[in-house]
Amino acid sequence: MQELLSRLHLSQGVITSLVNIGIAIAILLIGLWLAARVANFARRAMRRANVDETLSGFLRNVINGVLVAMLIVMALQQAGVPSAPLVAALGAGGLAIGLALQGSLSNLAWGVLLIVFRPFRVGDFITAGGVDGTVESVSLMYTLLVMADNREAVVPNAKIGSDAIINFNRRGTRRIELRVNIDYKADMGRAMEVIRELYAADARILRDPEPGVWTEGLGESAVVLVLRAHVRSSDVWGTQTDLVRGVKERFGAEGISIPLTRRQLTTVEGHLPDQAA
């Protein structure tokens, strides 16, 4: 009789374990389906909120991963596996992985911040991480810049985030600044008037802020004029080139000389270095 009861008790225990395992599997399967639905819903919501596609995809995967991890713990607990050692093991594993991937995680964190706060956009010309270039793409780990000579620079996001970022296109306009030397004998008033005429003749030069020309100082052999004018970012190099050319041609036509720096080297007899025999 006791043997029969023992067998029945054992059978009930096996049945209970099988039922718990079945429930755990059901929790896992249904939970995986729900986790994917929730993650996809969150991604669609972020798209409607105009969140960057790269960031929304990353956050979708994070949400899905967290939900799946919670489901695994719940399923194992339902199956009778103690959850405390599992959670401790996951925590220790996560710490080890975090220490091993410290640099990559730093790039990832800065990538998220760059995408969220957008200090620059694709197409902007920037200085970042010590590199000058046009932004071609921004990913979670690195930013791709195309340099002026058409080379590509892959700059880690952590390097960009830890240094100053200079955006040349963010405000839509840039200032041209040139320095021109004129001879002390030249008519300084006429020289400044010629430069203002060049400003007025070029439609690319903006009137607000107003362009100007000032005397910066007195050099060794010339008066130094400084020219400042604002243009659209796309017109910087063309306008600057034409302005330099216009100053040279108009000054030549007006007889306003641009002095050359001359240095005279003299040798004092008796102080030459000894020559080898």
Side-chain angles (χ1 to χ4, degrees):
M1 185 67 179
Q2 289 182 352
E3 183 178 355
L4 180 60
L5 291 175
S6 177
R7 289 181 179 178
L8 288 174
H9 181 71
L10 181 61
S11 299
Q12 289 177 355
V14 172
I15 293 172
T16 302
S17 297
L18 291 175
V19 170
N20 288 335
I21 292 174
I23 295 173
I25 293 174
I27 289 174
L28 189 59
L29 294 177
I30 296 173
L32 289 175
W33 180 77
L34 287 175
R37 295 294 296 273
V38 170
N40 291 333
F41 174 79
R43 185 172 189 176
R44 288 195 297 270
M46 286 184 284
R47 283 176 175 173
R48 287 194 294 269
N50 295 324
V51 176
D52 186 89
E53 183 66 23
T54 304
L55 180 59
S56 64
F58 169 72
L59 293 179
R60 184 265 177 206
N61 293 334
V62 169
I63 294 171
N64 188 66
V66 171
L67 293 176
V68 169
M70 294 173 60
L71 284 170
I72 292 174
V73 173
M74 292 172 59
L76 291 176
Q77 192 173 17
Q78 178 64 37
V81 178
S83 60
L86 178 63
V87 173
L90 289 175
L95 179 61
I97 293 173
L99 292 175
L101 300 176
Q102 185 175 3
S104 298
L105 292 176
S106 178
N107 288 328
L108 181 64
W110 276 111
V112 172
L113 292 176
L114 291 175
I115 292 172
V116 171
F117 292 104
R118 292 181 178 275
F120 51 81
R121 298 175 182 271
V122 173
D124 286 349
F125 185 83
I126 66 171
T127 297
V131 180
D132 297 341
T134 302
V135 180
E136 184 164 288
S137 65
V138 183
S139 69
L140 291 172
M141 301 301 294
Y142 62 87
T143 297
L144 180 61
L145 301 179
V146 178
M147 303 170 69
D149 56 2
N150 210 35
R151 290 181 296 167
E152 290 186 353
V154 179
V155 187
N157 287 331
K159 186 173 183 180
I160 293 177
S162 62
D163 202 353
I165 300 172
I166 302 174
N167 192 327
F168 294 89
N169 300 96
R170 188 62 175 264
R171 296 184 176 273
T173 62
R174 287 176 58 184
R175 189 182 73 180
I176 295 174
E177 183 169 306
L178 301 174
R179 283 169 175 76
V180 178
N181 295 341
I182 62 173
D183 193 276
Y184 275 105
K185 297 179 181 179
D187 186 344
M188 186 171 63
R190 179 55 186 161
M192 298 175 75
E193 184 179 349
V194 167
I195 292 171
R196 294 190 185 98
E197 291 174 359
L198 291 173
Y199 288 156
D202 196 332
R204 294 169 297 181
I205 295 177
L206 303 178
R207 302 301 176 250
D208 185 21
E210 184 179 1
V213 53
W214 297 268
T215 53
E216 186 180 60
L218 303 177
E220 293 181 1
S221 58
V223 178
V224 183
L225 302 181
V226 59
L227 292 64
R228 295 191 179 104
H230 284 77
V231 297
R232 289 188 297 271
S233 298
S234 58
D235 293 334
V236 169
W237 298 113
T239 307
Q240 180 171 298
T241 299
D242 291 343
L243 185 59
V244 171
R245 180 178 178 178
V247 167
K248 181 181 182 303
E249 292 178 350
R250 287 292 305 277
F251 276 17
E254 296 282 343
I256 302 171
S257 60
I258 301 176
L260 300 176
T261 301
R262 293 184 175 87
R263 288 182 174 84
Q264 182 177 1
L265 301 178
T266 58
T267 302
V268 179
E269 188 176 357
H271 290 276
L272 294 174
D274 293 338
Q275 296 182 353

